[in-house]
Amino acid sequence: MIETKNLRRIFTTEELETTALNQVSVEIKDGEFAAIMGPSGCGKSTLLNILGLLDKPDEGSYLFNAQEVAHYSPRQRVELRKNNIGFVFQSFNLIDELNVFENVELPLIYTKMPKAERKQRVTEVLNRVNIGHRAKHYPQQLSGGQQQRVAICRAVVAKPKLILADEPTGNLDSKNGIEVMKLLAELNHSGTTIVMVTHSPRDAEYAHRIIHLFDGQIVSEKKVAASIGM
């Protein structure tokens, strides 16, 4: 699904030039669950942003489903994201003025899906994670674990091929964190490709493979012998 070759990303200010990614080559297969680990500032989130077409590299190649997308225009990146990629963030990024149903429905509105089909799709995904009874509640009326489940519903409601998760349990206690990781593992088991950035060795054990970054470079990769989520 994903293949990058020699990605470089450099951030420049008046005083400083920082190489966030330096010759990063990685392959993520269709249906895989990959965890990206490393210390703060090593380039994890930069790599995830490029994979999610929220940013683009200064150099290198990025193939998504065998199509070169590294230097897509902003409009091309939006179209590819809309139809193929779901995002789960540490901070949930729910819209306070919208209730649970409306937050999850939002990506489908951008696809111009008919209202009746949107309602059915949202109801199904909310019930799947046992949050359907909260459909009319607002984010501030939910616990952190419930908010992250809603965020995951929003990420998967359009049935994307790829989910990118950036520290999905970072703002959760251990109990809710485990529930969120089990949900991601279940989604992966049903066929969704997942790439997750995490500091948590426990969360990384849910993946099939762990990729370690340091100073903007991949320094090691290892397969997980028996994924927790399986």
Side-chain angles (χ1 to χ4, degrees), residues 1 53 64-65 67 78-87 155 158-163 192-193:
M1 172 174 279
L53 297 167
F64 186 90
N65 284 336
Q67 184 173 1
V78 167
E79 285 301 312
L80 194 147
R81 284 199 307 269
K82 182 172 65 176
N83 296 311
N84 295 279
I85 303 174
F87 296 88
K159 299 184 178 179
K161 300 173 183 176
L162 172 67
I163 290 178
T192 304
T193 305

Side-chain angles (χ1 to χ4, degrees), residues 1-5 7 26-30 48-53 61-72 76-77 79-87 159-164 192-195:
M1 172 174 279
I2 287 172
E3 184 179 1
T4 74
K5 292 183 180 179
L7 289 184
V26 67
E27 183 176 353
I28 308 294
K29 295 180 180 179
D30 191 21
L48 204 71
N49 285 340
I50 289 175
L51 296 183
L53 297 167
S61 169
Y62 173 20
L63 298 179
F64 186 90
N65 284 336
Q67 184 173 1
E68 179 60 68
V69 299
H71 301 291
Y72 263 19
Q76 287 174 311
R77 294 202 302 271
E79 285 301 312
L80 194 147
R81 284 199 307 269
K82 182 172 65 176
N83 296 311
N84 295 279
I85 303 174
F87 296 88
K159 299 184 178 179
K161 300 173 183 176
L162 172 67
I163 290 178
L164 300 176
T192 304
T193 305
I194 298 177
V195 180

Side-chain angles (χ1 to χ4, degrees), residues 4 18 41 63-64 84 95 105 131 144 157-158 167 173 185 211:
T4 74
T18 302
L63 298 179
F64 186 90
N84 295 279
I95 299 173
E105 181 186 32
I131 200 96
V157 71
E167 298 285 359
D173 59 35
I211 301 165

Side-chain angles (χ1 to χ4, degrees), residues 117-133:
E117 187 177 350
R118 293 201 310 267
K119 182 177 180 180
Q120 179 181 353
R121 185 81 67 86
V122 173
T123 301
E124 286 175 355
V125 74
L126 289 175
N127 288 337
R128 181 178 179 183
V129 301
N130 300 315
I131 200 96
H133 62 293

